[in-house]
Amino acid sequence: MESNKIRRAFLDFFESKGHVIVPSAPMVVKGDPTLMFTNAGMNQFKDIFLGNAPRKYPRAADTQKCLRVSGKHNDLEEVGHDTYHHTMFEMLGNWSYGDYFKKEAIEWAWELLHGVYKLPADRMYATVFEGSEEDGVPFDQEAYDYWKQFLPEDHIIRGNKHDNFWEMGETGPCGPCSEIHFDLRDEAEIASKPGRGMVNAGHPQVIEIWNLVFMQFNRKANGSLEELPARNVDTGMGFERLCMILQGKKSNYDTDVFQPTIQRISQLSGKTYGADAKCDVAMRVIADHLRAIAFSIADGQLPSNVKAGYVIRRILRRAVRYGYTYLGFTEPTICKLVAGLVEQMGGQFPELKAQQALIEKVIEEEEASFLRTLATGISLLDGVVEKTKKEGRELISGKDAFELYDTFGFPIDLTELIAREQGVGVDLAAFETELQAQKERSRNAAAVDTDDWVELFPIRESVFTGYDTLTERVKIARYRRVTSKGKTSYQLVFDRTPFYGNSGGQIGDIGYIENANERIAVVATEKENGLIIHIVKELPENPAAEFTAVVDAAKRQAAANNHTATHLMHEALRKVLGSHVEQKGSMVTPEILRFDFSHFQKMTPAELRQVEMLVNRAVRANYPLEENREATKEEAEKCGAMMLFGEKYGDKVRMVRFGTSVELCGGTHTSATGNIGFFKILTESAISAGVRRIEAVTGEQAEKIIYAAEDTMRDISEYLHNPQVLQAVRKCSRATRRFRRRSRPCAASRSPSGPRRSSPRRPSATGCSSSPRRPTVRPSSSKTWPITCVPAPRSWCSCRGRSTTANPC
Ligand code: ATP
Ligand code: MG
């Protein structure tokens, strides 16, 4: 069965059982500070499971792009070395939100695996939770009894808390789970060692394929469990593992999911897959990581030096390093595999197809840059090896190895490999100590202590009223204390709020809440898992009282102007540069707007000017805000609304229109474009291959920029005694050139050690010979040559090539 058909069969099966088939959420998580990447199918429903949002349907199913490379689930080091863990994989899942529970979850899992996919019962094992005295949770008899209908009792195994009790995090929803394992070994092997003893024992051919989680508890901050009001089902099945079983293979990499890429790698390297264990690992690493990187870029996460971007950069570098060391890839090669991947997966994941050119470009640039780093690292390492030998040591010190790793991004296993080739080892224990110390430092820096919510009354969801009003009578529904870096703050959730929570690139509102007794400043507003959270430095004396919440109107208006200007600029960029322009990032504050977009070359001054003019034309047209808060996706598509890759859209979307600019957007906007006043671009730069960044300002800020530019021009003109600035500057530069030509023989007085710098002339409008000042270069030290201008006698400029020590021209 082809992999595409296997996926389709799963979705069709659950659709036939009344499930709504939902699209995969983006792999990069937004609005959840505890998670960088989606690592399980349930992540996109976390707000529902936490009770922060109402359920949209009682049952759902999907295939979710997951990435397990950081945090609680990190399989990175396994990948390539084993045959069934990936960085990025698809998790097939079905969910019940307070609807069906263990009975249907188990019966349908069985029906699908045995009835539809025809997997034999004698190869299947199910685990059920043995119970925990510590938590007061009994043995899961219910799940055991349902499995007994289908499997012999010696195929039902009791599992411990580690394997059979699933938790979302330190706190939050959790519950017992039941895993399904499959034994892929040959008959002879099974006869000599029955599968029962092999389950959860790390054998690559007796593996878990599906986990059925029965969410029935909530873990509180003090570690205790409480029953959830609505019990949920959350299941996850590894798609690639299922393909391996159904295609009769022993490794995920032998399925049609990975083979086309592996064959291409084999072609490019001239090495055969299966001929050499180390090369095989390298091919698997590259085939796996290619997917992780390509999907991350498609979802808007570009490699960078911080946070999620850094994780992606490290995955890519791991792939480059394996290719470099074992397959002889000394030139960018992974970028050449993108086309094949797009051909294979672009049907199910159109975001991949749409952004193929960007993905290729970004990967190529990253590869080239890391290959340069490797070359530098190798020469540095040579020096370290030499030093180690000179000092009579057999091991490179942990400190040196760590410096290579931390400062130069040189991987430790490569250090080890190259060192070994040169007859020395690496003090791995000391390296590990350095690494742990660094991890500890960053853990401490990031440590946040969060108390349980104190719930004053339940709310079904955080209601945002701030599109229509900036003040609101509110009550605090829940609050909690958060301590970070020794500072305490409080998070408040209201029954309804006019405060916009930081999301979609727009910074959250600030303001205050007050009543007759007190006024408390709201210093920030965040949005987390669907909740709008107001940050305050102190808790109100009486949290149960009623308050008036007031948003800082000036800041909100400035942010709204900038947000609307961002939409207008997005449209203008597409008009000027072409429809390949896609938003890749956005930040909107009251002071400035920043917009990242895909485009492959630097914008010319003329293009920038054109964009400014188009935006300012739209500003003058004073287009009113037209919004539809309840548009369906189809309606939005019909209106040509711009939708962004990497964004999670619900069934109902908010459509925002100003003239011909139509976008789906949850942000706050100005009532008419005229309020923006004036739009001015400050900078245009590259942030990575194929992605440009524009920073711009509007209104008063833009006005200030124009005044500052005007002031500078006036200063220059006064300085040059000439209102025709350009004419004067041209004259000066001609005179400077003439002067330099004449001064060339004056080499004797050049600094003996410093580099020769051309003197910045500060000539008068009429040219060098009448200059009242002369440039003097004062060598303050041999390293730096600060260049300053000091007054000089009028006669200086007519030196006509005569040289003095005071004139090192
Ligand atoms: P394992 O013990 O094999 O790492 P897990 O306990 O981490 O699995 P779950 O978190 O329960 O797995 O995830 C649900 C399913 O997702 C698993 O049954 C498995 O089929 C699949 N899966 C988990 N991790 C990976 C991975 N890194 N690569 C591919 N599939 C995976
Ligand atoms: Mg795992």
Side-chain angles (χ1 to χ4, degrees):
M1 203 175 191
E2 268 173 36
S3 54
N4 283 333
K5 288 192 180 137
I6 294 172
R7 188 192 290 114
R8 194 64 263 158
F10 177 90
L11 298 175
D12 288 348
F13 177 82
F14 281 103
E15 196 166 22
S16 77
K17 302 288 181 198
H19 291 64
V20 175
I21 307 302
V22 296
S24 171
M27 215 159 61
V28 184
V29 173
K30 290 178 184 151
D32 183 350
T34 64
L35 210 55
M36 256 187 210
F37 300 105
T38 298
N39 61 19
M42 59 74 59
N43 295 158
Q44 67 160 314
F45 307 112
K46 204 169 156 184
D47 50 358
I48 303 176
F49 291 134
L50 285 168
N52 298 342
R55 70 176 195 187
K56 296 188 196 91
Y57 18 68
R59 300 171 187 187
D62 74 358
T63 176
Q64 172 65 51
K65 300 173 277 186
C66 293
L67 192 62
R68 291 197 166 182
V69 289
S70 58
K72 191 174 158 218
H73 290 290
N74 187 349
D75 294 333
L76 184 60
E77 293 310 319
E78 263 78 56
V79 174
H81 292 273
D82 79 13
T83 49
Y84 61 107
H85 280 99
H86 302 293
T87 52
M88 185 235 151
F89 64 99
E90 284 181 60
M91 195 185 277
L92 303 167
N94 57 294
W95 289 274
S96 148
Y97 313 98
D99 185 24
Y100 63 83
F101 204 47
K102 294 180 189 176
K103 179 176 186 295
E104 292 84 348
I106 291 173
E107 284 178 0
W108 289 339
W110 178 257
E111 190 183 331
L112 178 65
L113 292 179
H114 188 64
V116 177
Y117 290 136
K118 308 283 180 230
L119 293 187
D122 61 346
R123 296 293 185 115
M124 262 191 276
Y125 293 86
T127 63
V128 293
F129 185 43
E130 66 184 5
S132 158
E133 259 181 44
E134 175 194 11
D135 283 328
V137 180
F139 165 62
D140 194 350
Q141 185 68 49
E142 207 186 340
Y144 188 90
D145 290 342
Y146 291 129
W147 277 121
K148 224 166 58 177
Q149 303 174 84
F150 312 115
L151 289 172
E153 291 201 48
D154 65 344
H155 278 232
I156 309 173
I157 297 163
R158 291 166 185 243
N160 60 23
K161 195 166 157 182
H162 176 256
D163 290 321
N164 281 87
F165 195 85
W166 180 91
E167 311 220 18
M168 184 185 282
E170 296 290 310
T171 57
C174 55
C177 59
S178 180
E179 300 167 342
I180 302 165
H181 293 249
F182 196 84
D183 190 348
L184 279 157
R185 295 171 304 152
D186 298 333
E187 292 294 345
E189 243 187 289
I190 293 177
S192 71
K193 223 172 180 190
R196 186 179 167 84
M198 313 292 291
V199 167
N200 271 331
H203 192 288
Q205 276 154 35
V206 185
I207 54 162
E208 177 192 326
I209 52 168
W210 201 348
N211 194 355
L212 316 179
V213 177
F214 311 119
M215 255 182 241
Q216 60 187 99
F217 302 109
N218 180 38
R219 173 85 65 191
K220 298 175 69 174
N222 67 7
S224 64
L225 294 179
E226 63 184 8
E227 282 276 347
L228 282 176
R231 301 193 299 180
N232 307 305
V233 170
D234 152 30
T235 87
M237 170 152 64
F239 170 65
E240 297 76 6
R241 293 186 191 181
L242 180 65
C243 290
M244 159 170 70
I245 296 168
L246 293 177
Q247 294 178 1
K249 308 290 183 193
K250 303 260 163 158
S251 156
N252 287 6
Y253 295 93
D254 291 342
T255 64
D256 66 348
V257 179
F258 288 99
Q259 268 304 305
T261 308
I262 292 203
Q263 290 312 323
R264 179 90 176 109
I265 298 171
S266 167
Q267 228 177 37
L268 290 167
S269 62
K271 295 185 192 303
T272 312
Y273 184 65
D276 173 89
K278 281 188 174 158
C279 292
D280 290 354
V281 171
M283 288 191 198
R284 292 199 288 265
V285 164
I286 295 175
D288 173 279
H289 292 7
L290 165 72
R291 298 185 349 141
I293 301 154
F295 276 95
S296 302
I297 298 172
D299 275 356
Q301 185 57 65
L302 297 158
S304 75
N305 268 345
V306 289
K307 298 182 184 166
Y310 188 55
V311 177
I312 300 305
R313 175 163 282 168
R314 282 189 44 216
I315 299 175
L316 180 52
R317 289 180 168 190
R318 188 170 186 261
V320 174
R321 172 166 49 97
Y322 273 91
Y324 178 89
T325 313
Y326 299 105
L327 303 175
F329 291 158
T330 52
E331 297 289 326
T333 311
I334 299 169
C335 53
K336 296 181 185 153
L337 304 170
V338 175
L341 182 72
V342 170
E343 201 182 305
Q344 195 189 336
M345 302 193 77
Q348 176 71 23
F349 301 101
E351 64 271 30
L352 212 55
K353 200 178 251 170
Q355 298 181 84
Q356 181 178 342
L358 177 72
I359 297 168
E360 284 172 335
K361 184 100 182 164
V362 171
I363 295 183
E364 184 184 357
E365 185 95 349
E366 280 286 317
E367 279 190 88
S369 136
F370 188 56
L371 285 165
R372 283 194 296 272
T373 305
L374 283 182
T376 317
I378 287 167
S379 80
L380 284 168
L381 182 55
D382 286 344
V384 171
V385 169
E386 204 177 302
K387 180 179 92 177
T388 308
K389 284 182 178 168
K390 224 188 238 164
E391 290 171 5
R393 287 184 286 121
E394 286 180 356
L395 297 180
I396 289 177
S397 75
K399 209 155 176 260
D400 282 341
F402 185 73
E403 194 188 353
L404 276 167
Y405 166 83
D406 193 40
T407 315
F408 302 101
F410 205 68
I412 184 66
D413 47 357
L414 196 55
T415 300
E416 234 191 318
L417 196 89
I418 296 172
R420 211 179 306 130
E421 281 167 6
Q422 301 192 37
V424 292
V426 179
D427 188 344
L428 286 177
F431 170 81
E432 194 55 35
T433 311
E434 298 277 344
L435 189 65
Q436 288 313 322
Q438 191 212 39
K439 280 190 182 161
E440 191 62 26
R441 282 193 298 275
S442 45
R443 230 192 324 268
N444 289 343
V448 179
D449 202 3
T450 310
D451 285 2
D452 277 331
W453 286 111
V454 177
E455 191 175 84
L456 300 180
F457 58 91
I459 48 166
R460 267 170 53 84
E461 63 185 307
S462 261
V463 179
F464 176 60
T465 60
Y467 292 136
D468 306 310
T469 179
L470 297 181
T471 59
E472 185 75 70
R473 298 291 294 164
V474 304
K475 290 185 90 176
I476 299 173
R478 54 172 113 162
Y479 66 87
R480 67 180 174 188
R481 191 176 59 173
V482 176
T483 313
S484 169
K485 292 182 193 160
K487 289 199 181 119
T488 297
S489 60
Y490 295 87
Q491 301 186 336
L492 315 179
V493 176
F494 307 147
D495 50 348
R496 52 207 288 106
T497 179
F499 282 77
Y500 181 78
N502 186 4
S503 55
Q506 184 182 329
I507 200 161
D509 284 327
I510 60 169
Y512 58 88
I513 55 168
E514 70 173 355
N515 60 18
N517 302 324
E518 54 188 334
R519 175 192 275 213
I520 289 176
V522 174
V523 295
T525 312
E526 298 293 338
K527 196 163 181 193
E528 272 179 37
N529 295 313
L531 276 189
I532 298 174
I533 294 176
H534 309 79
I535 319 279
V536 294
K537 293 271 169 63
E538 54 187 319
L539 204 58
E541 268 168 33
N542 176 11
E546 204 170 285
F547 296 88
T548 303
V550 182
V551 173
D552 182 324
K555 292 255 191 255
R556 161 69 84 81
Q557 180 64 48
N561 288 347
N562 280 345
H563 202 149
T564 303
T566 305
H567 283 207
L568 300 180
M569 181 173 75
H570 190 178
E571 195 196 18
L573 283 167
R574 288 170 73 95
K575 274 189 189 149
V576 173
L577 303 177
S579 58
H580 62 280
V581 168
E582 293 275 356
Q583 176 172 333
K584 288 289 154 214
S586 166
M587 186 196 73
V588 175
T589 73
E591 292 77 31
I592 198 167
L593 64 97
R594 200 173 76 192
F595 188 71
D596 301 340
F597 58 99
S598 45
H599 181 56
F600 294 109
Q601 57 269 352
K602 185 164 178 54
M603 286 180 70
T604 63
E607 286 168 342
L608 287 168
R609 179 59 54 86
Q610 227 182 323
V611 168
E612 283 179 334
M613 284 167 67
L614 284 173
V615 174
N616 281 316
R617 197 175 293 164
V619 170
R620 287 192 300 275
N622 200 22
Y623 295 123
L625 162 67
E626 295 170 66
E627 60 171 338
N628 179 350
R629 293 183 198 164
E630 293 284 305
T632 61
K633 260 204 224 143
E634 293 68 40
E635 281 170 324
E637 261 163 31
K638 233 194 237 159
C639 293
M642 265 187 274
M643 299 190 196
L644 307 179
F645 293 113
E647 277 306 322
K648 183 177 135 191
Y649 295 111
D651 306 328
K652 294 278 182 214
V653 288
R654 177 167 176 255
M655 202 159 57
V656 172
R657 178 199 291 270
F658 290 97
T660 48
S661 149
V662 191
E663 288 202 29
L664 299 191
C665 178
T668 62
H669 284 275
T670 196
S671 57
T673 55
N675 298 333
I676 294 169
F678 182 56
F679 167 83
K680 183 85 196 91
I681 292 176
L682 298 181
T683 60
E684 190 270 350
S685 58
I687 59 160
S688 74
V691 181
R692 312 291 308 176
R693 167 172 292 175
I694 285 183
E695 289 182 320
V697 285
T698 65
E700 215 173 299
Q701 298 291 341
E703 210 178 304
K704 282 184 194 159
I705 298 295
I706 299 298
Y707 294 154
E710 226 178 59
D711 289 349
T712 309
M713 279 306 267
R714 193 180 320 106
D715 285 353
I716 296 173
S717 134
E718 276 173 20
Y719 191 68
L720 297 175
H721 306 302
N722 190 338
Q724 304 294 321
V725 174
L726 184 61
Q727 215 178 10
V729 169
R730 274 198 189 126
K731 239 181 198 173
C732 285
S733 92
R734 272 200 302 272
T736 309
R737 275 201 301 275
R738 264 202 314 274
F739 178 74
R740 283 216 191 103
R741 271 201 303 275
R742 275 188 251 126
S743 311
R744 231 168 249 151
C746 312
S749 59
R750 277 182 214 150
S751 160
S753 52
R756 183 168 190 252
R757 299 250 179 109
S758 56
S759 308
R761 305 289 327 278
R762 212 182 177 201
S764 82
T766 49
C768 192
S769 60
S770 61
S771 169
R773 323 189 94 189
R774 69 173 164 86
T776 301
V777 180
R778 284 200 202 115
S780 62
S781 77
S782 60
K783 268 198 180 153
T784 54
W785 268 52
I787 300 166
T788 49
C789 285
V790 295
R794 288 181 72 88
S795 63
W796 173 74
C797 284
S798 51
C799 76
R800 308 224 180 276
R802 269 171 300 155
S803 161
T804 66
T805 43
N807 175 21
C809 45

